[in-house]
mmCIF file of all heavy atoms in Angstrom:
data_model
loop_
_atom_site.group_PDB
_atom_site.id
_atom_site.type_symbol
_atom_site.label_atom_id
_atom_site.label_comp_id
_atom_site.label_asym_id
_atom_site.label_seq_id
_atom_site.Cartn_x
_atom_site.Cartn_y
_atom_site.Cartn_z
ATOM 1 N N LEU A 1 1.636 9.835 14.404
ATOM 2 C CA LEU A 1 0.893 8.867 13.635
ATOM 3 C C LEU A 1 0.801 9.290 12.172
ATOM 4 O O LEU A 1 0.682 10.460 11.871
ATOM 5 C CB LEU A 1 -0.514 8.626 14.217
ATOM 6 C CG LEU A 1 -0.557 8.147 15.636
ATOM 7 C CD1 LEU A 1 -1.968 8.046 16.103
ATOM 8 C CD2 LEU A 1 0.127 6.813 15.765
ATOM 9 N N THR A 2 0.796 8.321 11.290
ATOM 10 C CA THR A 2 0.613 8.637 9.839
ATOM 11 C C THR A 2 -0.843 8.863 9.508
ATOM 12 O O THR A 2 -1.759 8.304 10.174
ATOM 13 C CB THR A 2 1.180 7.503 8.979
ATOM 14 O OG1 THR A 2 0.443 6.321 9.276
ATOM 15 C CG2 THR A 2 2.636 7.300 9.166
ATOM 16 N N LYS A 3 -1.104 9.678 8.547
ATOM 17 C CA LYS A 3 -2.440 9.973 8.079
ATOM 18 C C LYS A 3 -2.494 9.797 6.585
ATOM 19 O O LYS A 3 -1.503 10.140 5.891
ATOM 20 C CB LYS A 3 -2.832 11.422 8.415
ATOM 21 C CG LYS A 3 -2.896 11.720 9.889
ATOM 22 C CD LYS A 3 -3.262 13.125 10.170
ATOM 23 C CE LYS A 3 -3.231 13.394 11.675
ATOM 24 N NZ LYS A 3 -3.441 14.801 11.988
ATOM 25 N N PRO A 4 -3.549 9.288 6.074
ATOM 26 C CA PRO A 4 -3.633 9.111 4.622
ATOM 27 C C PRO A 4 -3.718 10.377 3.898
ATOM 28 O O PRO A 4 -4.406 11.355 4.294
ATOM 29 C CB PRO A 4 -4.902 8.251 4.409
ATOM 30 C CG PRO A 4 -5.693 8.498 5.613
ATOM 31 C CD PRO A 4 -4.729 8.772 6.750
ATOM 32 N N VAL A 5 -2.957 10.562 2.860
ATOM 33 C CA VAL A 5 -3.005 11.701 1.963
ATOM 34 C C VAL A 5 -3.002 11.225 0.538
ATOM 35 O O VAL A 5 -2.698 10.038 0.295
ATOM 36 C CB VAL A 5 -1.821 12.683 2.156
ATOM 37 C CG1 VAL A 5 -1.797 13.272 3.549
ATOM 38 C CG2 VAL A 5 -0.532 12.004 1.850
ATOM 39 N N SER A 6 -3.379 12.031 -0.363
ATOM 40 C CA SER A 6 -3.382 11.597 -1.787
ATOM 41 C C SER A 6 -2.458 12.464 -2.589
ATOM 42 O O SER A 6 -2.243 13.636 -2.260
ATOM 43 C CB SER A 6 -4.796 11.654 -2.372
ATOM 44 O OG SER A 6 -5.249 12.964 -2.389
ATOM 45 N N ILE A 7 -1.819 11.907 -3.582
ATOM 46 C CA ILE A 7 -1.004 12.585 -4.547
ATOM 47 C C ILE A 7 -1.498 12.223 -5.915
ATOM 48 O O ILE A 7 -2.011 11.153 -6.165
ATOM 49 C CB ILE A 7 0.498 12.302 -4.372
ATOM 50 C CG1 ILE A 7 0.779 10.782 -4.497
ATOM 51 C CG2 ILE A 7 1.038 12.778 -3.055
ATOM 52 C CD1 ILE A 7 2.226 10.426 -4.537
ATOM 53 N N SER A 8 -1.324 13.139 -6.856
ATOM 54 C CA SER A 8 -1.791 12.870 -8.242
ATOM 55 C C SER A 8 -0.598 12.400 -9.045
ATOM 56 O O SER A 8 0.462 13.021 -9.104
ATOM 57 C CB SER A 8 -2.303 14.205 -8.835
ATOM 58 O OG SER A 8 -3.419 14.657 -8.100
ATOM 59 N N LEU A 9 -0.797 11.213 -9.624
ATOM 60 C CA LEU A 9 0.245 10.615 -10.465
ATOM 61 C C LEU A 9 -0.409 10.034 -11.699
ATOM 62 O O LEU A 9 -1.564 9.592 -11.652
ATOM 63 C CB LEU A 9 0.985 9.472 -9.722
ATOM 64 C CG LEU A 9 1.743 9.837 -8.433
ATOM 65 C CD1 LEU A 9 2.188 8.515 -7.751
ATOM 66 C CD2 LEU A 9 2.926 10.651 -8.756
ATOM 67 N N THR A 10 0.372 10.007 -12.737
ATOM 68 C CA THR A 10 -0.147 9.318 -13.937
ATOM 69 C C THR A 10 0.012 7.826 -13.647
ATOM 70 O O THR A 10 0.686 7.434 -12.665
ATOM 71 C CB THR A 10 0.704 9.676 -15.192
ATOM 72 O OG1 THR A 10 2.039 9.251 -14.960
ATOM 73 C CG2 THR A 10 0.678 11.190 -15.453
ATOM 74 N N ASP A 11 -0.606 6.992 -14.464
ATOM 75 C CA ASP A 11 -0.475 5.568 -14.304
ATOM 76 C C ASP A 11 0.981 5.126 -14.380
ATOM 77 O O ASP A 11 1.423 4.272 -13.635
ATOM 78 C CB ASP A 11 -1.307 4.773 -15.308
ATOM 79 C CG ASP A 11 -2.795 4.827 -14.963
ATOM 80 O OD1 ASP A 11 -3.122 5.049 -13.784
ATOM 81 O OD2 ASP A 11 -3.620 4.615 -15.892
ATOM 82 N N THR A 12 1.721 5.715 -15.281
ATOM 83 C CA THR A 12 3.110 5.401 -15.461
ATOM 84 C C THR A 12 3.963 5.792 -14.224
ATOM 85 O O THR A 12 4.729 4.966 -13.721
ATOM 86 C CB THR A 12 3.731 6.106 -16.677
ATOM 87 O OG1 THR A 12 2.943 5.745 -17.844
ATOM 88 C CG2 THR A 12 5.161 5.677 -16.923
ATOM 89 N N ASP A 13 3.673 6.968 -13.672
ATOM 90 C CA ASP A 13 4.389 7.398 -12.448
ATOM 91 C C ASP A 13 4.030 6.493 -11.266
ATOM 92 O O ASP A 13 4.870 6.196 -10.422
ATOM 93 C CB ASP A 13 4.040 8.861 -12.116
ATOM 94 C CG ASP A 13 4.655 9.850 -13.131
ATOM 95 O OD1 ASP A 13 5.600 9.485 -13.801
ATOM 96 O OD2 ASP A 13 4.108 10.965 -13.235
ATOM 97 N N ARG A 14 2.732 6.137 -11.155
ATOM 98 C CA ARG A 14 2.308 5.257 -10.058
ATOM 99 C C ARG A 14 3.000 3.890 -10.145
ATOM 100 O O ARG A 14 3.493 3.369 -9.138
ATOM 101 C CB ARG A 14 0.815 5.094 -10.063
ATOM 102 C CG ARG A 14 0.277 4.254 -8.912
ATOM 103 C CD ARG A 14 -1.238 3.944 -9.064
ATOM 104 N NE ARG A 14 -1.570 3.331 -10.323
ATOM 105 C CZ ARG A 14 -1.363 2.034 -10.628
ATOM 106 N NH1 ARG A 14 -0.775 1.222 -9.757
ATOM 107 N NH2 ARG A 14 -1.741 1.576 -11.805
ATOM 108 N N LYS A 15 3.081 3.369 -11.360
ATOM 109 C CA LYS A 15 3.779 2.102 -11.530
ATOM 110 C C LYS A 15 5.262 2.231 -11.179
ATOM 111 O O LYS A 15 5.828 1.312 -10.582
ATOM 112 C CB LYS A 15 3.586 1.578 -12.949
ATOM 113 C CG LYS A 15 2.217 1.085 -13.255
ATOM 114 C CD LYS A 15 2.042 0.678 -14.716
ATOM 115 C CE LYS A 15 0.601 0.301 -15.013
ATOM 116 N NZ LYS A 15 0.382 -0.020 -16.433
ATOM 117 N N THR A 16 5.875 3.333 -11.557
ATOM 118 C CA THR A 16 7.281 3.539 -11.288
ATOM 119 C C THR A 16 7.488 3.627 -9.753
ATOM 120 O O THR A 16 8.425 2.989 -9.222
ATOM 121 C CB THR A 16 7.759 4.861 -11.899
ATOM 122 O OG1 THR A 16 7.549 4.792 -13.281
ATOM 123 C CG2 THR A 16 9.194 5.132 -11.611
ATOM 124 N N LEU A 17 6.618 4.299 -9.048
ATOM 125 C CA LEU A 17 6.673 4.357 -7.584
ATOM 126 C C LEU A 17 6.483 2.971 -6.972
ATOM 127 O O LEU A 17 7.216 2.596 -6.087
ATOM 128 C CB LEU A 17 5.669 5.385 -7.055
ATOM 129 C CG LEU A 17 5.608 5.566 -5.516
ATOM 130 C CD1 LEU A 17 6.971 6.057 -5.015
ATOM 131 C CD2 LEU A 17 4.529 6.542 -5.182
ATOM 132 N N ASP A 18 5.449 2.257 -7.442
ATOM 133 C CA ASP A 18 5.251 0.902 -6.919
ATOM 134 C C ASP A 18 6.415 -0.013 -7.144
ATOM 135 O O ASP A 18 6.808 -0.812 -6.323
ATOM 136 C CB ASP A 18 4.033 0.268 -7.627
ATOM 137 C CG ASP A 18 2.704 0.869 -7.149
ATOM 138 O OD1 ASP A 18 2.687 1.445 -6.076
ATOM 139 O OD2 ASP A 18 1.718 0.726 -7.891
ATOM 140 N N ASN A 19 7.041 0.168 -8.314
ATOM 141 C CA ASN A 19 8.231 -0.691 -8.654
ATOM 142 C C ASN A 19 9.403 -0.477 -7.761
ATOM 143 O O ASN A 19 10.219 -1.346 -7.506
ATOM 144 C CB ASN A 19 8.627 -0.497 -10.141
ATOM 145 C CG ASN A 19 7.640 -1.148 -11.087
ATOM 146 O OD1 ASN A 19 6.838 -2.036 -10.709
ATOM 147 N ND2 ASN A 19 7.652 -0.703 -12.319
ATOM 148 N N GLN A 20 9.556 0.736 -7.225
ATOM 149 C CA GLN A 20 10.682 1.028 -6.331
ATOM 150 C C GLN A 20 10.567 0.287 -5.053
ATOM 151 O O GLN A 20 11.550 -0.239 -4.530
ATOM 152 C CB GLN A 20 10.833 2.541 -6.065
ATOM 153 C CG GLN A 20 11.012 3.392 -7.314
ATOM 154 C CD GLN A 20 12.025 2.777 -8.319
ATOM 155 O OE1 GLN A 20 13.171 2.483 -7.926
ATOM 156 N NE2 GLN A 20 11.628 2.518 -9.523
ATOM 157 N N ALA A 21 9.360 0.240 -4.505
ATOM 158 C CA ALA A 21 9.149 -0.538 -3.269
ATOM 159 C C ALA A 21 9.344 -2.003 -3.551
ATOM 160 O O ALA A 21 9.978 -2.719 -2.739
ATOM 161 C CB ALA A 21 7.752 -0.293 -2.707
ATOM 162 N N LYS A 22 8.827 -2.507 -4.629
ATOM 163 C CA LYS A 22 8.969 -3.937 -5.005
ATOM 164 C C LYS A 22 10.484 -4.238 -5.220
ATOM 165 O O LYS A 22 10.946 -5.299 -4.840
ATOM 166 C CB LYS A 22 8.165 -4.241 -6.264
ATOM 167 C CG LYS A 22 6.682 -4.210 -6.024
ATOM 168 C CD LYS A 22 5.936 -4.464 -7.318
ATOM 169 C CE LYS A 22 4.469 -4.300 -7.112
ATOM 170 N NZ LYS A 22 3.697 -4.453 -8.362
ATOM 171 N N ARG A 23 11.162 -3.304 -5.855
ATOM 172 C CA ARG A 23 12.585 -3.460 -6.120
ATOM 173 C C ARG A 23 13.358 -3.608 -4.857
ATOM 174 O O ARG A 23 14.207 -4.548 -4.725
ATOM 175 C CB ARG A 23 13.058 -2.255 -6.902
ATOM 176 C CG ARG A 23 14.517 -2.208 -7.243
ATOM 177 C CD ARG A 23 14.866 -0.938 -7.965
ATOM 178 N NE ARG A 23 16.236 -0.785 -8.194
ATOM 179 C CZ ARG A 23 16.820 0.345 -8.620
ATOM 180 N NH1 ARG A 23 16.001 1.443 -8.772
ATOM 181 N NH2 ARG A 23 18.051 0.431 -8.826
ATOM 182 N N PHE A 24 13.118 -2.804 -3.846
ATOM 183 C CA PHE A 24 13.821 -2.901 -2.610
ATOM 184 C C PHE A 24 13.485 -4.241 -1.923
ATOM 185 O O PHE A 24 14.390 -4.874 -1.397
ATOM 186 C CB PHE A 24 13.418 -1.763 -1.634
ATOM 187 C CG PHE A 24 14.013 -1.983 -0.262
ATOM 188 C CD1 PHE A 24 15.339 -1.588 -0.001
ATOM 189 C CD2 PHE A 24 13.266 -2.533 0.753
ATOM 190 C CE1 PHE A 24 15.890 -1.807 1.236
ATOM 191 C CE2 PHE A 24 13.824 -2.756 2.008
ATOM 192 C CZ PHE A 24 15.130 -2.385 2.229
ATOM 193 N N ASN A 25 12.184 -4.570 -1.874
ATOM 194 C CA ASN A 25 11.826 -5.823 -1.232
ATOM 195 C C ASN A 25 12.460 -7.046 -1.928
ATOM 196 O O ASN A 25 12.900 -7.965 -1.204
ATOM 197 C CB ASN A 25 10.309 -5.948 -1.227
ATOM 198 C CG ASN A 25 9.647 -4.870 -0.370
ATOM 199 O OD1 ASN A 25 10.239 -4.357 0.550
ATOM 200 N ND2 ASN A 25 8.442 -4.484 -0.716
ATOM 201 N N LEU A 26 12.533 -7.040 -3.235
ATOM 202 C CA LEU A 26 13.165 -8.104 -3.942
ATOM 203 C C LEU A 26 14.676 -8.183 -3.651
ATOM 204 O O LEU A 26 15.202 -9.226 -3.353
ATOM 205 C CB LEU A 26 12.924 -7.990 -5.476
ATOM 206 C CG LEU A 26 13.585 -9.057 -6.315
ATOM 207 C CD1 LEU A 26 12.952 -10.421 -6.107
ATOM 208 C CD2 LEU A 26 13.478 -8.680 -7.798
ATOM 209 N N LEU A 27 15.348 -7.039 -3.720
ATOM 210 C CA LEU A 27 16.747 -7.016 -3.521
ATOM 211 C C LEU A 27 17.131 -7.382 -2.072
ATOM 212 O O LEU A 27 18.087 -8.089 -1.802
ATOM 213 C CB LEU A 27 17.309 -5.597 -3.796
ATOM 214 C CG LEU A 27 17.362 -5.249 -5.284
ATOM 215 C CD1 LEU A 27 17.775 -3.786 -5.486
ATOM 216 C CD2 LEU A 27 18.345 -6.165 -6.030
ATOM 217 N N SER A 28 16.330 -6.918 -1.102
ATOM 218 C CA SER A 28 16.617 -7.271 0.283
ATOM 219 C C SER A 28 16.474 -8.789 0.470
ATOM 220 O O SER A 28 17.177 -9.392 1.289
ATOM 221 C CB SER A 28 15.773 -6.514 1.268
ATOM 222 O OG SER A 28 14.405 -6.865 1.111
ATOM 223 N N TYR A 29 15.492 -9.388 -0.223
ATOM 224 C CA TYR A 29 15.345 -10.858 -0.123
ATOM 225 C C TYR A 29 16.502 -11.568 -0.799
ATOM 226 O O TYR A 29 17.080 -12.493 -0.306
ATOM 227 C CB TYR A 29 14.036 -11.261 -0.732
ATOM 228 C CG TYR A 29 13.800 -12.750 -0.806
ATOM 229 C CD1 TYR A 29 13.448 -13.447 0.314
ATOM 230 C CD2 TYR A 29 13.957 -13.479 -2.025
ATOM 231 C CE1 TYR A 29 13.253 -14.820 0.284
ATOM 232 C CE2 TYR A 29 13.777 -14.839 -2.066
ATOM 233 C CZ TYR A 29 13.402 -15.500 -0.936
ATOM 234 O OH TYR A 29 13.239 -16.846 -0.936
ATOM 235 N N GLN A 30 16.857 -11.095 -2.016
ATOM 236 C CA GLN A 30 17.904 -11.759 -2.781
ATOM 237 C C GLN A 30 19.308 -11.637 -2.045
ATOM 238 O O GLN A 30 20.080 -12.544 -2.112
ATOM 239 C CB GLN A 30 18.014 -11.172 -4.183
ATOM 240 C CG GLN A 30 16.913 -11.628 -5.098
ATOM 241 C CD GLN A 30 17.001 -10.975 -6.491
ATOM 242 O OE1 GLN A 30 17.691 -9.968 -6.683
ATOM 243 N NE2 GLN A 30 16.309 -11.541 -7.380
ATOM 244 N N LEU A 31 19.542 -10.478 -1.497
ATOM 245 C CA LEU A 31 20.803 -10.221 -0.821
ATOM 246 C C LEU A 31 20.794 -10.771 0.576
ATOM 247 O O LEU A 31 21.772 -10.633 1.337
ATOM 248 C CB LEU A 31 21.155 -8.740 -0.830
ATOM 249 C CG LEU A 31 21.336 -8.113 -2.207
ATOM 250 C CD1 LEU A 31 21.479 -6.619 -2.072
ATOM 251 C CD2 LEU A 31 22.511 -8.681 -2.948
ATOM 252 N N GLU A 32 19.708 -11.391 0.963
ATOM 253 C CA GLU A 32 19.486 -11.960 2.321
ATOM 254 C C GLU A 32 19.768 -10.939 3.431
ATOM 255 O O GLU A 32 20.426 -11.233 4.430
ATOM 256 C CB GLU A 32 20.342 -13.214 2.493
ATOM 257 C CG GLU A 32 19.961 -14.308 1.523
ATOM 258 C CD GLU A 32 20.839 -15.539 1.663
ATOM 259 O OE1 GLU A 32 21.720 -15.596 2.547
ATOM 260 O OE2 GLU A 32 20.605 -16.450 0.887
#
């Protein structure tokens, strides 16, 4: 089972990480 952990990121790094997940989700939708 997964457990919550925390990592320290700057706001820019956090946005970059968030964007990678969004990027995959968008591309998988666009590429059907």
